[in-house]
Amino acid sequence: MPRLSRERKGLLEKLTRQQIREAVASVITRYGVQGLTMEEIAREAGVAKGTLYRYFSSKSHLLRDTVD
């Protein structure tokens, strides 16, 4: 894979992770932690539910990463 393509891929992954983290914060603000579902996070982030699991293995992993 050419260097530029790797750099673009890395940037896209970084932006997607950030978009997901922001969606977590938005969902928690709106519905509280009890309303936090992977489906709602995916909807808010504008990504497929499977995309969440590509970046985060579980909801607890996602929460820990967002808080950090």
Side-chain angles (χ1 to χ4, degrees):
M1 180 179 284
R3 180 181 170 99
L4 186 57
S5 293
R6 275 187 249 139
E7 289 174 5
R8 285 182 180 170
K9 183 179 178 186
L11 180 58
L12 179 59
E13 288 178 1
K14 184 178 178 179
L15 290 172
T16 302
R17 282 182 181 274
Q18 184 60 36
Q19 182 177 347
I20 293 168
R21 287 185 202 105
E22 290 172 5
V24 170
S26 179
V27 171
I28 289 173
T29 299
R30 200 172 316 123
Y31 304 113
V33 175
Q34 67 278 7
L36 188 68
T37 64
M38 294 300 264
E39 189 170 329
E40 191 60 38
I41 295 166
R43 186 176 301 123
E44 182 71 24
V47 299
K49 189 173 167 185
T51 302
L52 297 178
Y53 290 104
R54 178 172 181 231
Y55 293 99
F56 303 96
S57 59
S58 66
K59 185 166 64 171
S60 60
H61 176 219
L62 176 53
L63 279 170
R64 278 193 307 272
D65 188 77
T66 301
V67 171
D68 289 343

